[in-house]
Each structure stands twice: as C-alpha cells, then as structure tokens.
C-alpha cells in the first residue's frame, strides 16, 4: 500500500498555489494556477506524475490544511455559487450556529406531506 498524498491549496491573490507532498518524503511538487478549478486540475496532473500507474492512490485535498474548507470552496467554484464565509472544520464539529432555515414540515402553512 502506498503512502497517502496531500495536496494543499493556498490563495495567492487571485491565483492559487498548489503543493503536492507524499507522506514520509521530503520532496514536494508545487505550481501556481488561476482559479481553484484550474488548481485542482494542476494537482491531478502532479499526482499522476508521482503515481502514474496507480488508480487506487489516496489523495487528500486541503485548503490551508483543512479538507472541509477545500471541499466547500471547490464545490462552490464548480457549481458557480458565491463563496461562503470560511467555516473551519472545528466550527462544524464543535457546534457552529445552525442554519436559520428549518426543514419544512406539516406545521408550516401551505406545505403538504406527500
């Protein structure tokens, strides 16, 4: 089994700095890309260079060291949504304020249960 690969994304003005590292190795690969989607594509290319014939490689994508923040930002970029306020994993795990929009239920007027 191969060591996991980490990809860390750091904002650099309007661009993104991407750093790819293999656990247990000192050498890293880095590149700069315009936009988070382009940065992710660049990261995939660098990972493929490290492990060219391994379809089962384990890669963790991090935004300034936080996987949750990367996933949230990347999905917003892919879907063309406004970027959310940065919410760290610690805020989510340790009870950030819940959404102000509760799920509709039978007590809401005009909503019928199917």
């Amino acid at each position: 089994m191969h060591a996991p690969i980490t990809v860390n994304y750091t904002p650099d003005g309007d661009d993104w700095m991407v750093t790819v590292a293999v656990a247990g190795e000192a050498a890293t690969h880095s590149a700069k890309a315009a936009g988070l989607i382009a940065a992710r594509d660049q990261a995939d290319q660098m990972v493929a260079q490290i492990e060219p014939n391994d379809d089962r490689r384990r890669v963790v994508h991090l935004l300034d060291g936080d996987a949750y923040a990367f996933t949230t930002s990347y999905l917003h970029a892919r879907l063309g949504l406004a970027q959310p306020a940065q919410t760290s994993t610690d805020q989510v795990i340790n009870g950030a304020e819940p959404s102000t929009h509760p799920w509709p239920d039978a007590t809401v007027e005009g909503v019928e249960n199917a």
Side-chain angles (χ1 to χ4, degrees):
M1 190 178 305
H2 299 280
I5 298 171
T6 58
V7 180
N8 196 44
Y9 301 81
T10 306
D12 186 12
D14 290 336
D15 297 331
W16 290 85
M17 184 56 122
V18 183
T19 305
V20 178
V22 177
E25 293 184 17
T28 61
H29 304 282
S30 61
K32 196 173 201 177
L36 187 55
I37 295 170
R40 171 64 196 264
D41 291 342
Q42 186 74 26
D44 289 343
Q45 292 172 13
M46 289 188 285
V47 168
Q49 291 173 356
I50 294 170
E51 299 274 346
N53 297 319
D54 188 0
D55 293 333
R56 296 180 51 139
R57 60 183 157 260
R58 294 171 289 158
V59 181
V60 178
H61 297 269
L62 309 166
L63 175 59
D64 286 331
D66 188 339
Y68 176 79
F70 172 79
T71 302
T72 302
S73 295
Y74 181 73
L75 289 175
H76 276 81
R78 290 295 292 187
L79 297 172
L81 302 173
Q83 290 296 322
Q86 285 293 338
T87 303
S88 72
T89 304
D90 289 338
Q91 289 171 317
V92 172
I93 292 172
N94 294 322
E97 292 298 316
S99 172
T100 58
H101 305 294
W103 291 99
D105 61 20
T107 62
V108 178
E109 289 184 37
V111 176
E112 297 178 19
N113 290 334

